[in-house]
Amino acid sequence: MSQFIGLKDATGDVTRPARLRSRVGPDFRLLSGDDATAVAFLAQGGNGCISVTSNVAPGLCRTMFLACKQGQMAKAQRLGDPIAQLTYALFREPNPVPLKYALSLLGLMSPKVRLPW
């Protein structure tokens, strides 16, 4: 269907880009929705990541992404280690509380969390 231009994959299955690429073509965007497996997803032909962690460390995540795209996988993996540690911390409790707290530490939002409606 021409109205679909991409797919967000949050299954954690890093082999999907390699399996799907021949079916969807080169212009279809395959995006990881799982920060913890983003490097491996990109290495298998993914186009990017819809990332929670990049809200806290956008520069680091971007540098890792560019390293993947430039074929510098050793660099991407080195950068992926601190990203993985941050991702682990951000997902220790139900989302979005840890993310909001981290953003408050950076002065980007209030540390107050409202109750659900």
Side-chain angles (χ1 to χ4, degrees):
M1 301 180 99
S2 63
Q3 69 264 34
F4 296 107
I5 62 169
L7 168 75
K8 174 188 172 190
D9 184 338
T11 64
D13 180 354
V14 298
T15 66
R16 287 190 77 184
R19 291 195 330 265
L20 291 175
R21 183 57 61 202
S22 65
R23 295 179 182 181
V24 298
D27 295 329
F28 194 81
R29 297 291 158 231
L30 296 172
L31 304 170
S32 172
D34 181 27
D35 287 279
T37 60
V39 171
F41 190 90
L42 293 169
Q44 292 295 314
N47 299 104
C49 180
I50 298 174
S51 170
V52 171
T53 306
S54 67
N55 288 288
V56 177
L60 185 59
C61 291
R62 182 177 188 276
T63 302
M64 182 196 72
F65 170 78
L66 291 175
C68 285
K69 288 297 158 194
Q70 295 165 353
Q72 301 171 348
M73 294 313 293
K75 179 179 179 180
Q77 289 174 334
R78 269 195 320 278
L79 294 169
D81 289 340
I83 293 171
Q85 292 175 24
L86 178 56
T87 298
Y88 176 76
L90 291 173
F91 285 92
R92 284 191 73 168
E93 297 294 329
N95 208 10
V97 174
L99 173 62
K100 288 184 174 188
Y101 182 70
L103 292 173
S104 77
L105 293 175
L106 295 171
L108 298 173
M109 66 177 299
S110 168
K112 297 178 182 175
V113 179
R114 65 170 174 77
L115 292 174
W117 291 94

